[in-house]
Amino acid sequence: PPGESPSVAVTFKDYKTLEYNTWLNDIIIDFFLAWLYRKVLREEDRARVHMFTTMLYRYVVVVLILHFS
């Protein structure tokens, strides 16, 4: 939901990536992670769980590649 953390806005274009034989985009994956955090994790467990967006993962990979090249 807007205003809550984590919050992810899904567009119709993002939704269409759920069709058969298509690649999921980052927004759908981030939305699912946010849903898991809010709806599946117990509130007392949320303080111990950290979920990062797919953009952070991409950033870390690029930094590591640049660092070790």
Side-chain angles (χ1 to χ4, degrees):
E4 288 188 27
S5 182
S7 179
V8 178
V10 178
T11 66
F12 184 71
K13 181 180 174 184
D14 300 321
Y15 176 75
K16 294 286 282 177
T17 67
L18 294 172
E19 291 181 349
Y20 177 75
N21 210 24
T22 59
W23 291 94
L24 287 176
N25 70 8
D26 296 345
I27 298 297
I28 295 296
I29 295 168
D30 291 342
F31 177 84
F32 183 68
L33 289 173
W35 178 82
L36 284 174
Y37 185 84
R38 270 197 301 281
K39 301 294 183 180
V40 176
L41 280 178
R42 295 180 307 186
E43 193 166 339
E44 58 268 17
D45 293 333
R46 291 180 192 163
R48 298 189 334 243
V49 173
H50 301 279
M51 291 187 181
F52 300 100
T53 67
T54 53
M55 295 300 289
L56 177 67
Y57 174 77
R58 186 177 303 141
Y59 173 78
V60 169
V61 168
V62 168
V63 167
L64 288 174
I65 288 171
L66 291 175
H67 179 74
F68 290 107
S69 328

